[in-house]
Amino acid sequence: MPRDRREGLEIKVVNPPAVTNNVSVETSPATATRRRRQQRASFAEFRPFKLWFPWLVPAIVVANIALFAISMFINNCPKNSAYCSARFLGRFAFQPMKENPLLGPSSLTLEKMGALDVSMVVHNHEVWRLFTCIWLHAGVFHVLANMLSLIFIGIRLEQEFGFVRIGLLYMISGFGGSLLSSLFNRAGISVGASGALFGLLGAMLSELLTNWTIYANKFAALLTLIFIIAINLAVGILPHVDNFAHLGGFTSGFLLGFVFLIRPQYGYFNQRNNPRGYAAPSAKSKHKPYQYVLWITSLMLLIAGYTAGLVVLLRGTDLNKHCSWCHYLSCIPTSLWSCKSQNVYCESSQIGQQMNLTCIANGKTEMYKLSNDIPSRVQQLCSQLCR
């Protein structure tokens, strides 16, 4: 009785064997018919895993869209084009564009709402930005692409494993993506839920591996899943895409899948659902030994990795100085594009309580409201404007 297919993945359910009795018992035809109907009904109602009603993933989608609408409203879109001009280029980098005021909020507004700014995390100890940045998006296409992916991946996972485990998986994976991103990407701000989405993909892979024995068509499903993950990670080698957030989220989700998405083996379910009077040949443990090993190992790696990452981040260490090749994980230079950051220069002028900043290289202009921290962030704003 196969149940619950996922991407060509088919769970094997082994029906308990019929009850046999060496003692001959005479029963009436009506009694025998009633007994057979009861056995068929019990087999038909047998479900090894509970299906959950998915409400958390749709709620996350609604919350992300609502926050994006709020960020646009704070920019006074579309009237104030100077503050409604962020164009999505990736999770990490987005480029101000004055000519299209409807694409997304400005970097200044996103920073006020909780975008990941490494300097604020390090100097002001605003670690909460590692969580809040995954709820913000830099543009219309950014939020639509992420939310469609979340619906496609997340709803099925929530149906199978429930809102508690998938909710924790989503948040912790997003935190892991933000943490790795902040260790390597030191300039600019970062927003987007792609780290959490890659965490869900990583969890799907580890769930297939740790529950390997209960699936049919497992090799085809494994190759398909690896192909999808490889294609998505390959996009991260393009410039202005924060592949460190993708890698951090994927690694976190992969390890969390061994912790949160472990399932009992079917021998355990069969002996629990055997008809009365049937004696199982041998008792089955709930989980296999390798599942316990993966559970403990993954949990230890997660705790050690997050602890070490936070310590290194709060000390202000730039890991690019200790890893000369790591930048190739996020961008590989080719004849079509360059990954090198160039020196940028801007002209600034003050008009009342606003500062007008113009990039000399491309002529783009952005207006910023003056605040106490604006003078110290002029170089960062100039870099974002000249991208």
Side-chain angles (χ1 to χ4, degrees):
M1 183 170 51
R3 184 190 76 87
D4 193 25
R5 301 173 179 229
R6 188 184 66 201
E7 300 295 335
L9 216 58
E10 184 178 311
I11 297 178
K12 299 185 298 184
V13 179
V14 182
N15 287 338
V19 178
T20 57
N21 198 341
N22 296 329
V23 181
S24 177
V25 179
E26 294 183 1
T27 58
S28 63
T31 303
T33 301
R34 185 169 59 253
R35 183 177 299 172
R36 285 194 297 270
R37 289 177 179 175
Q38 291 176 351
Q39 290 179 354
R40 285 197 298 266
S42 63
F43 290 156
E45 295 172 359
F46 174 67
R47 294 292 185 272
F49 303 120
K50 174 184 177 181
L51 282 179
W52 299 77
F53 176 76
W55 63 268
L56 180 62
V57 169
I60 293 175
V61 172
V62 172
N64 277 272
I65 295 176
L67 285 171
F68 179 75
I70 292 173
S71 67
M72 297 285 279
F73 177 78
I74 293 176
N75 278 275
N76 194 20
C77 297
K79 294 181 180 179
N80 193 344
S81 62
Y83 294 98
C84 307
S85 55
R87 178 167 67 92
F88 168 65
L89 294 178
R91 181 191 183 272
F92 179 79
F94 51 91
Q95 174 182 1
M97 290 182 64
K98 186 176 179 179
E99 60 269 18
N100 194 336
L102 296 178
L103 287 174
S106 67
S107 58
L108 189 61
T109 297
L110 291 172
E111 184 177 343
K112 291 179 179 179
M113 294 183 65
L116 178 58
D117 188 333
V118 178
S119 61
M120 290 189 174
V121 175
V122 175
H123 299 106
N124 300 337
H125 300 289
E126 297 179 359
V127 183
W128 49 269
R129 289 182 179 271
L130 297 173
F131 289 100
T132 56
C133 68
I134 68 176
W135 299 91
L136 302 173
H137 290 83
V140 175
F141 300 108
H142 188 194
V143 67
L144 287 179
N146 279 350
M147 293 306 100
L148 289 175
S149 300
L150 178 58
I151 292 173
F152 180 75
I153 301 172
I155 287 183
R156 179 58 63 89
L157 285 175
E158 186 179 353
Q159 285 179 329
E160 295 184 2
F161 298 99
F163 68 94
V164 175
R165 287 187 280 185
I166 299 305
L168 289 173
L169 186 89
Y170 183 86
M171 290 300 299
I172 299 175
S173 296
F175 172 81
S178 300
L179 181 58
L180 188 62
S181 171
S182 61
L183 291 173
F184 287 95
N185 293 317
R186 313 293 294 183
I189 64 173
S190 175
V191 292
S194 56
L197 293 175
F198 270 86
L200 296 181
L201 284 175
M204 290 177 64
L205 179 59
S206 57
E207 189 270 332
L208 173 61
L209 295 176
T210 192
N211 303 319
W212 184 259
T213 59
I214 69 175
Y215 287 116
N217 303 324
K218 57 192 72 176
F219 288 103
L222 178 61
L223 293 177
T224 302
L225 191 55
I226 291 177
F227 177 77
I228 294 174
I229 293 171
I231 292 297
N232 282 274
L233 288 176
V235 176
I237 67 174
L238 298 174
H240 308 300
V241 177
D242 184 13
N243 209 32
F244 287 111
H246 299 169
L247 292 171
F250 175 80
T251 304
S252 298
F254 182 74
L255 295 176
L256 287 169
F258 292 120
V259 177
F260 289 145
L261 307 186
I262 184 174
R263 277 177 163 169
Q265 57 177 320
Y266 268 102
Y268 174 80
F269 271 109
N270 287 339
Q271 71 182 13
R272 289 186 59 188
N273 292 276
N274 283 336
R276 293 181 180 179
Y278 173 74
S282 60
K284 295 286 186 179
S285 61
K286 189 172 184 179
H287 298 102
K288 292 184 177 294
Y290 76 88
Q291 291 178 307
Y292 290 111
V293 173
L294 290 173
W295 190 93
I296 296 174
T297 304
S298 300
L299 186 60
M300 293 177 62
L301 288 175
L302 282 167
I303 295 175
Y306 284 166
T307 303
L310 283 173
V311 171
V312 172
L313 174 62
L314 295 178
R315 287 182 176 179
T317 304
D318 186 358
L319 290 187
N320 290 297
K321 298 179 180 179
H322 303 276
C323 181
S324 59
W325 56 268
C326 287
H327 63 278
Y328 291 115
L329 296 175
S330 186
C331 182
I332 298 179
T334 67
S335 59
L336 300 177
W337 62 76
S338 174
C339 300
K340 294 182 179 180
S341 59
Q342 301 177 351
N343 294 330
V344 293
Y345 302 94
C346 295
E347 291 180 349
S348 63
S349 61
Q350 183 174 343
I351 305 175
Q353 294 299 318
Q354 293 182 331
M355 182 186 69
N356 184 49
L357 205 62
T358 302
C359 176
I360 296 177
N362 54 29
K364 293 178 181 177
T365 299
E366 184 76 74
M367 190 76 70
Y368 301 96
K369 291 182 179 179
L370 288 177
S371 60
N372 295 331
D373 61 339
I374 282 294
S376 61
R377 298 180 54 248
V378 170
Q379 185 61 39
Q380 178 183 350
L381 295 174
C382 181
S383 299
Q384 295 174 0
L385 188 62
C386 293
R387 283 175 178 165

